Amino acid sequence: MSTHVRHPIWLPALKAADARTFASLYAVESFARATVSSVIPIQAYEILHNEQIVSILYTIVAMLGLSVTLFMPMLIRRFARRWVYTAGACLLAIGSLFFVTHTLAGQLAGMLCRVMGASALSITLNLYIMDHIRKTDFMQAESLRMAWSMFAWTGGPTLGIFLYTRFGIYAAHGAVAVFAMALLALFWTYRLGDNPSIRPGKTRPANPLANIGRFVAQPRLRLAWLIAFGRSCFWTTFFVYGPLFMVITGEGKLAGGLLVSAGNALLFMAIFWGNAGKRFGGRRTMTFAYFAMSAMLLAAGAVGETVPLLTGAFLLCGAFFTIALDALGSTAFMRSVRSYERSQMAAVYRTYLDFSELTPPLVYSVVLAFFGLGSVFVTLGLLAAVCGFVTWRYLPKSL
């Protein structure tokens, strides 16, 4: 009997991680972030009473969050990915505690926790995906992940606004804490392990500045960053200035939540865009999406505050084309990065999200000092056109 070992029956029964594993994790994470995506800008506006100062607040938060993103490889190397992922989920819940204070200091701290948590979750999840999904399957896996998140980004913003307006601030942000804990439980159930092959060797730079230099030196990584930056700028604008636009034009808070939910409902089209990319090629599909997005944004800016609902319709059309970039854009990075430096390059690549939360509010705060709210969409439309041209000119046809 002393040599008899009882092995738990359920451990070998757990399936290996696949595309559905990461799609389910991302879906629950999306619920934790989407639920208050429309509440946060409205709450900030209620505290500050000025859309230009709201832009400045988002700029400050993005600048602080950027430094955390760049140091993420050091944290992963020191504490292992699973603990960084766990900390990211916990930060989403902690941010809720700050938001319920409904003060400027609490708003700032809550937004910062939210940015840091999202950074930790995004980088570690991308590393897990590159470990378990073959390069040839990235496009299908990413489109599936976006499609599954549709449920969260569709119902989440409206749910958050409903809880905020009907039951108060504690109900809206309490839901975030519940989803964050559910994400933790699901993550530890899957028991995803670290792959030692992606950890940086002793001779490879761990310094954030050295990692940036290494990233910038690779043209395909620079291009992948720009593609991600352009489409992320759209979502930053859509989530922040979409609800603000509806409130300022008199359509109401609920209309802002419905606009965001309607745009996110289109995420189910990620499967369609994934198939389109496979059939026509990622380069052609992403270029078309960028130019179409640009046209919709310029139209939205031209209409502006004169017909708010028509402007909202143009923004929804822009969201439809942006989803193509969500489904296909990250494959440019995943198929270009070298396996031995994934951790370092993933952290630098992730700065596209920080810069997309930093740059637009900063630029818009200047533009809004001279023009109306519609100028925000015109500015973004011009950026989309530039990204479309660069994508067509430099993205390899073989992608």
Side-chain angles (χ1 to χ4, degrees):
M1 294 296 293
S2 61
T3 59
H4 179 68
V5 180
R6 296 181 61 189
H7 296 281
I9 297 176
W10 62 274
L11 287 176
L14 193 64
K15 294 182 179 180
D18 56 13
R20 293 184 179 183
T21 301
F22 303 111
S24 62
L25 284 171
Y26 188 69
V28 179
E29 175 198 336
S30 296
F31 268 111
R33 293 191 293 115
T35 303
V36 290
S37 61
S38 297
V39 173
I40 291 174
I42 292 175
Q43 188 174 333
Y45 184 73
E46 290 177 348
I47 295 173
L48 298 170
H49 305 290
N50 185 293
E51 62 268 25
Q52 187 176 7
I53 301 179
V54 171
S55 294
I56 295 174
L57 175 63
Y58 271 86
T59 300
I60 294 173
V61 171
M63 290 178 65
L64 294 174
L66 177 61
S67 60
V68 176
T69 298
L70 292 176
F71 280 93
M72 198 62 65
M74 291 184 177
L75 296 176
I76 293 174
R77 186 175 185 178
R78 174 65 179 84
F79 298 105
R81 269 182 278 160
R82 59 183 178 275
W83 296 116
V84 175
Y85 190 95
T86 298
C90 291
L91 280 171
L92 295 183
I94 294 171
S96 299
L97 298 178
F98 288 111
F99 279 123
V100 297
T101 63
H102 203 64
T103 62
L104 179 57
Q107 187 77 10
L108 177 61
M111 292 172 68
L112 184 58
C113 285
R114 180 179 167 86
V115 168
M116 292 189 299
S119 175
L121 293 170
S122 175
I123 292 174
T124 50
L125 186 64
N126 277 334
L127 292 177
Y128 283 126
I129 289 173
M130 287 187 283
D131 272 1
H132 295 88
I133 304 297
R134 294 181 301 177
K135 284 189 175 184
T136 55
D137 296 332
F138 280 154
M139 195 173 294
Q140 289 79 7
E142 286 298 285
S143 60
L144 179 66
R145 185 160 67 104
M146 292 298 108
W148 278 36
S149 69
M150 176 267 297
F151 299 101
W153 291 108
T154 300
T158 301
L159 173 63
I161 290 293
F162 173 77
L163 293 174
Y164 186 64
T165 56
R166 182 64 63 89
F167 300 102
I169 192 172
Y170 287 95
H173 291 289
V176 174
V178 172
F179 285 124
M181 293 303 102
L183 175 62
L184 271 183
L186 183 63
F187 172 74
W188 283 98
T189 298
Y190 287 143
R191 301 192 319 281
L192 297 173
D194 291 6
N195 186 343
S197 66
I198 74 161
R199 293 183 180 177
K202 294 181 179 180
T203 60
R204 300 189 184 101
N207 185 286
L209 295 179
N211 293 338
I212 293 173
R214 177 62 183 158
F215 188 98
V216 173
Q218 302 180 59
R220 291 188 65 176
L221 294 185
R222 295 199 306 265
L223 178 58
W225 189 94
L226 180 65
I227 293 172
F229 172 74
R231 54 101 168 172
S232 188
C233 283
F234 175 89
W235 290 120
T236 297
T237 305
F238 188 75
F239 289 147
V240 176
Y241 294 91
L244 279 180
F245 181 82
M246 289 301 167
V247 171
I248 292 172
T249 55
E251 298 298 326
K253 298 177 182 177
L254 184 59
L258 290 173
L259 174 65
V260 174
S261 291
N264 290 324
L266 297 172
L267 280 171
F268 78 92
M269 294 300 296
I271 300 294
F272 163 78
W273 286 116
N275 292 332
K278 187 176 181 180
R279 179 177 180 181
F280 300 106
R283 175 172 169 265
R284 290 183 177 179
T285 306
M286 285 188 276
T287 300
F288 169 76
Y290 257 129
F291 283 127
M293 181 212 305
S294 176
M296 294 301 103
L297 287 168
L298 293 176
V303 175
E305 301 176 34
T306 56
V307 188
L309 294 181
L310 180 58
T311 301
F314 281 126
L315 291 178
L316 287 178
C317 292
F320 170 74
F321 294 110
T322 307
I323 289 165
L325 300 165
D326 287 334
L328 306 176
S330 60
T331 60
F333 169 75
M334 292 182 175
R335 296 181 64 173
S336 301
V337 65
R338 294 177 172 87
S339 60
Y340 62 82
E341 57 182 4
R342 285 177 179 173
S343 180
Q344 304 98 311
M345 296 303 101
V348 180
Y349 174 71
R350 172 57 174 68
T351 60
Y352 79 81
L353 191 54
D354 298 291
F355 275 99
S356 70
E357 293 176 350
L358 168 65
T359 309
L362 182 62
V363 174
Y364 298 157
S365 64
V366 176
V367 172
L368 288 171
F370 300 96
F371 305 100
L373 195 55
S375 62
V376 166
F377 308 128
V378 173
T379 304
L380 181 61
L382 295 176
L383 172 64
V386 172
C387 291
F389 172 78
V390 174
T391 300
W392 173 258
R393 177 66 178 83
Y394 296 105
L395 192 67
K397 296 181 180 180
S398 59
L399 184 67

